[in-house]
Amino acid sequence: MTDLSTTIADRTFSNCMMNAAGVRCADENDLNQLIASPAGAYVTKSATPNVREGNPEPRMKSLPGGCINSMGLPNHGLDYYLDFVLKDQAARPDKTNLLSIAGTTLEDNLAMLHKVADSDFNGFVELNLSCPNVPGKPQVGYDFDRVREILTQVFAFYDKPLGVKLPPYFDLVHFDQIAAVLNDFPLTFVNSINSVGNGLVIDPNAERVAIKLGGLGGIGGTFIKPTALANVRGLSLRLKPEIAIIGTGGVMNGTDVFEHILCGASMVQVGTQFGFEGTRIFKRLSKELSAIMAAKGYQSIDDFKGKLKTFDD
Ligand SMILES: Cc1cc2nc3c(=O)[nH]c(=O)nc-3n(C[C@H](O)[C@H](O)[C@H](O)COP(=O)(O)O)c2cc1C
């Protein structure tokens, strides 16, 4: 029997796989389906302080093995998601879930976190520092001084478990720089990666872009797996061991989950392919990961977590 459970900080999750924020987690119906699935936890759609419509449609296009989106954080507002997680926590006090927050300003993030701090919520907050689709707003995760400023202000009052969702980095110096900032704070986890921002997908027949906002959008799916793995591995080599890593990006099958864990992920999120398949994906991925582990004689994910070999070993 293989054990797919995982632990982050002092919390145990029955399965190391879950949804990624923004995909099929925007309302109660979506979230209840996740609760009924084998996923080890759920994360709610990234919340802003108030209801937000997001960007004009079309804002999402499915591609073979991936997608592009310029959603722009359409969501029901923090109160809706906080109310949901609090009710769920009361009904299932032994479960930990994630509440995603994505203010478009520092003030919005601090106001939302004060509200969460003042509530009974005892799950994990996932602070999204990496939405690539908000016009006029840079991805905070690419401004290292700003990340430090935000985390300094957040941890001045917020003392429950909190992690950050990061954009992909493409330069080794940037890995060093972001890790140096993150290691100065009592983060519970980092989630790497958000969509690869500002890709362009074209409809060659129409000779036109595939989505609005000039055609630019965040890319998810198979195209981004090598970038996601490099980020999970790069952070795993640089972060202090108290900060767990949630690996996200390009997960379509059990091998992809296995690879994320080999790179150091304690938990793995699925976005694009979960959107394609719905909650039944968690049964399939669990079966596929279990088969890989059984074939290799691994009983638990700790048997291979972070143990990627290189030619230098
Ligand atoms: C339609 C869509 C909406 C998304 N919305 C959010 C969001 O609200 N918050 C967030 O942190 N990430 C959001 N993401 C990014 C995903 O959580 C994930 O990081 C990214 O898609 C990479 O994973 P994948 O390759 O499995 O899709 C969204 C992705 C998609 C496809």
Side-chain angles (χ1 to χ4, degrees):
M1 257 308 270
T2 51
D3 175 6
L4 301 185
S5 72
T6 190
T7 303
I8 294 180
D10 58 346
R11 313 291 177 93
T12 299
F13 301 84
S14 58
N15 190 304
C16 60
M17 289 166 255
M18 61 179 290
N19 68 303
V23 181
R24 292 179 184 261
C25 59
D27 61 28
E28 283 189 13
N29 179 41
D30 289 339
L31 293 166
N32 282 324
Q33 287 189 37
L34 279 159
I35 288 173
S37 82
Y42 61 79
V43 57
T44 53
K45 170 72 190 174
S46 290
T48 48
N50 300 306
V51 178
R52 189 180 155 94
E53 296 296 327
N55 294 326
E57 303 201 27
R59 57 192 182 183
M60 151 102 190
K61 169 90 180 151
S62 299
L63 309 163
C67 72
I68 182 169
N69 89 84
S70 61
M71 304 299 286
L73 297 173
N75 75 92
H76 291 290
L78 176 66
D79 290 351
Y80 180 94
Y81 300 106
L82 187 54
D83 184 58
F84 183 89
V85 294
L86 286 172
K87 281 189 186 137
D88 182 32
Q89 184 179 291
R92 304 184 308 146
D94 53 324
K95 298 282 182 193
T96 295
N97 291 292
L98 284 67
L99 177 68
S100 174
I101 282 181
T104 57
T105 63
L106 171 59
E107 292 69 32
D108 278 0
N109 277 325
L110 294 177
M112 286 193 284
L113 286 171
H114 271 293
K115 210 175 222 184
V116 180
D118 293 343
S119 78
D120 288 335
F121 182 62
N122 64 17
F124 291 179
V125 162
E126 182 173 286
L127 179 61
N128 180 357
L129 300 179
S130 48
C131 183
N133 304 317
V134 181
K137 302 283 176 189
Q139 282 188 66
V140 174
Y142 288 136
D143 182 341
F144 304 117
D145 291 340
R146 186 74 171 154
V147 173
R148 180 177 292 283
E149 188 186 342
I150 291 171
L151 293 181
T152 301
Q153 296 209 30
V154 166
F155 284 113
F157 70 93
Y158 196 84
D159 59 3
K160 302 187 207 184
L162 181 137
V164 287
K165 176 108 174 249
L166 298 172
Y169 299 102
F170 301 94
D171 189 309
L172 294 186
V173 172
H174 293 161
F175 284 117
D176 292 340
Q177 290 174 334
I178 190 68
V181 173
L182 300 174
N183 279 334
D184 282 342
F185 296 94
L187 285 159
T188 299
F189 67 92
V190 303
N191 183 345
S192 175
I193 59 175
N194 209 315
S195 315
V196 172
N198 297 307
L200 179 62
V201 171
I202 292 171
D203 174 350
N205 292 325
E207 301 175 24
R208 195 184 54 209
V209 297
I211 55 170
K212 282 205 178 163
L213 278 196
L216 298 181
I219 306 291
T222 46
F223 321 111
I224 73 166
K225 189 177 79 165
T227 300
L229 293 178
N231 275 261
V232 171
R233 165 105 169 137
L235 291 167
S236 161
L237 293 174
R238 290 169 176 80
L239 291 178
K240 57 187 180 184
E242 303 91 285
I243 304 179
I245 298 177
I246 299 180
T248 305
V251 173
M252 323 310 261
N253 56 46
T255 305
D256 300 326
V257 179
F258 183 74
E259 291 177 3
H260 267 276
I261 297 170
L262 264 185
C263 287
S266 294
M267 189 129 197
V268 178
Q269 294 188 347
V270 196
T272 301
Q273 190 63 24
F274 168 49
F276 293 164
E277 272 179 68
T279 51
R280 67 178 185 275
I281 193 173
F282 295 107
K283 192 171 171 195
R284 174 174 72 79
L285 295 179
S286 298
K287 216 169 131 191
E288 291 172 1
L289 179 61
S290 292
I292 293 166
M293 288 169 61
K296 289 173 177 284
Y298 294 145
Q299 262 128 42
S300 75
I301 72 164
D302 281 339
D303 291 345
F304 59 99
K305 186 166 90 183
K307 295 190 178 163
L308 181 68
K309 299 183 199 105
T310 69
F311 286 105
D312 304 323
D313 295 325

